[in-house]
Amino acid sequence: SSGINAEWPLRPGEHIVSNVGQSRVVSAGNDNVIRVWRMYPFAEEALAPMFSYYTVQTPKNLITGLERLFYSYEKPDTCTFITVMHDLIKKKKVPTATLR
């Protein structure tokens, strides 16, 4: 087979997503930090850190597409999920609504 197979031994609360069109990999773990990596598929050192975001809690969901990064975390005291959107080009948070 000519395909590439990859497995990550993820633990609960850890996420890895990729945006192949933008050559990015986004990872989040239990340290409350979301890291954005630049992917160089034909280089020996294939991943280079671009930047990172500190979050108030470990993300429950992590999605990336085009120039945007979405993640959500739970507020158990109010039974809500907060969805946060970051613009990866401007490297800043974009206001979003609270989902109930």
Side-chain angles (χ1 to χ4, degrees), residues 1 6 10 12 14-15 24-25 33 37-38 40 42 44 50 52 56 61 63 65 73 77-79 89 91 94 96 98:
S1 150
L10 298 180
E14 295 180 340
H15 304 281
R24 289 192 186 108
V25 174
V33 177
W37 307 80
R38 174 83 165 111
Y40 298 97
F42 302 108
E44 188 173 324
M50 290 178 67
S52 59
V56 297
N61 298 298
I63 301 168
Y73 61 91
D77 56 332
T78 60
C79 296
I89 303 299
K91 299 182 184 172
V94 178
T96 56
T98 301

Side-chain angles (χ1 to χ4, degrees), residues 7-8 11 18 23 29 31 33 36 40 44 49 59-61 63 71 86 94 100:
E7 290 184 29
W8 293 283
R11 287 170 264 172
S18 65
S23 297
D31 59 354
V33 177
V36 180
Y40 298 97
E44 188 173 324
K60 297 287 183 188
N61 298 298
I63 301 168
Y71 67 90
H86 282 274
V94 178
R100 293 188 183 262

